[in-house]
Amino acid sequence: DAKTTQPPSMDCAEGRAANLPCNHSTISGNEYVYWYRQIHSQGPQYIIHGLKNNETNEMASLIITEDRKSSTLILPHATLRDTAVYYCIVRLYMIYNQGGKLIFGQGTELSVKP
Amino acid sequence: DTEVTQTPKHLVMGMTNKKSLKCEQHMGHRAMYWYKQKAKKPPELMFVYSYEKLSINESVPSRFSPECPNSSLLNLHLHALQPEDSALYLCASSQGSGGLGDTQYFGPGTRLTVL
């Protein structure tokens, strides 16, 4: 079963910040929060991940609450090309060298409008 | 470079056919994955290969047979599929360590239609 809960859809005006929330109240101490997005019929694209600290890269920022039970992905200046399904994923801890198991939730369909 | 390639892009097959999907990466990753994605649903993990050994099989029917000939290649052999197996099949790869940096990178997928 998915370990994350996201709103099914959100709208955002072009040029504004898009804030996508995610609840992961059952996350364990050694599980990571990952965000991917999927533009229609393409493969999922990695955005960002974190364990407990806030993270920023050229695409987005990830804010994780202190209790780690929720997080927010921030796209600082959304464009029409950011329209996609955004998945918040808790990556399960794996035995070393066994790879990583991603369990996708239902995701949030973000529509960026002119 | 974080590119994972998949061939073919589209595949149409009958229920009695045998076909194969191919995935390739040249990032030196040691873990490779197959996911299945039905329309309007999230991807679901099927198999994980780590260091060329099958480490996870998510109870996938035997009509799907994975193969990892070397660390750069991953195949999915298909035989006697059903129409409900029609889906987007996604390949991914990662370093394989399982640690913080073990990010999975996905290919564009193969769109499979079973008639």
Side-chain angles (χ1 to χ4, degrees), chain A residues 32 34 36 38 41-46 49-51 87 91 93-102 104-106, chain B residues 31 33 35 37 41-43 45 48 50-51 55-56 58 88 90 96-100 102-104 106-108 111:
Chain A
Y32 307 106
Y34 275 73
Y36 284 77
Q38 188 172 24
S41 293
Q42 297 182 20
Q45 178 190 19
Y46 165 74
H49 72 278
L51 184 61
Y87 293 104
R91 183 168 76 79
Y93 173 77
M94 302 297 292
I95 297 169
Y96 183 75
N97 284 347
Q98 293 294 307
K101 184 171 178 177
L102 297 179
F104 286 76
Q106 295 303 310
Chain B
Y33 310 77
Y35 289 80
Q37 185 174 25
K41 296 289 187 183
L45 182 66
V48 181
S50 180
Y51 288 78
S55 61
I56 296 177
E58 293 287 283
L88 182 67
L90 295 160
S97 66
L100 184 61
D102 197 26
T103 298
Q104 293 183 29
F106 285 80
R111 176 75 59 189

Side-chain angles (χ1 to χ4, degrees), chain A residues 39-79:
Chain A
I39 296 168
H40 181 62
S41 293
Q42 297 182 20
Q45 178 190 19
Y46 165 74
I47 301 173
I48 199 167
H49 72 278
L51 184 61
K52 52 185 176 182
N53 297 323
N54 297 339
E55 302 287 345
T56 295
N57 64 20
E58 64 278 4
M59 287 183 69
S61 295
L62 174 61
I63 309 297
I64 302 174
T65 58
E66 196 168 339
D67 63 8
R68 302 212 322 126
K69 292 186 177 181
S70 66
S71 60
T72 301
L73 178 75
I74 301 172
L75 308 178
H77 305 287
T79 71

Side-chain angles (χ1 to χ4, degrees), chain B residues 1-21:
Chain B
D1 184 11
T2 57
E3 188 178 24
V4 176
T5 60
Q6 290 187 243
T7 54
K9 283 187 167 45
H10 301 275
L11 178 63
V12 179
M13 59 185 291
M15 289 189 283
T16 59
N17 292 155
K18 287 185 182 181
K19 297 286 185 184
S20 297
L21 309 184

Side-chain angles (χ1 to χ4, degrees), chain B residues 28-103:
Chain B
H29 288 173
R30 302 311 300 268
M32 297 186 77
Y33 310 77
W34 281 115
Y35 289 80
K36 173 181 177 179
Q37 185 174 25
K38 301 281 282 182
K40 298 196 180 298
K41 296 289 187 183
E44 293 181 339
L45 182 66
M46 301 174 70
F47 302 103
V48 181
Y49 271 84
S50 180
Y51 288 78
E52 296 151 52
K53 289 184 170 51
L54 184 65
S55 61
I56 296 177
N57 176 343
E58 293 287 283
S59 302
V60 178
S62 60
R63 57 185 184 269
F64 296 92
S65 175
E67 179 198 20
C68 189
N70 60 57
S71 59
S72 300
L73 281 175
L74 185 67
N75 298 320
L76 186 63
H77 303 298
L78 314 172
H79 173 56
L81 293 193
Q82 303 297 311
E84 57 265 29
D85 296 321
S86 298
L88 182 67
Y89 288 84
L90 295 160
C91 174
S93 71
S94 73
Q95 290 177 355
S97 66
L100 184 61
D102 197 26
T103 298

Side-chain angles (χ1 to χ4, degrees), chain A residues 6 8 12 19 34 60-61 63 75 79 88-89 97 99 105 109-110 113:
Chain A
Q6 300 176 253
C12 178
N19 296 281
Y34 275 73
S61 295
I63 309 297
L75 308 178
T79 71
C88 169
I89 300 160
N97 284 347
E109 191 162 3
L110 176 68
K113 300 181 185 300

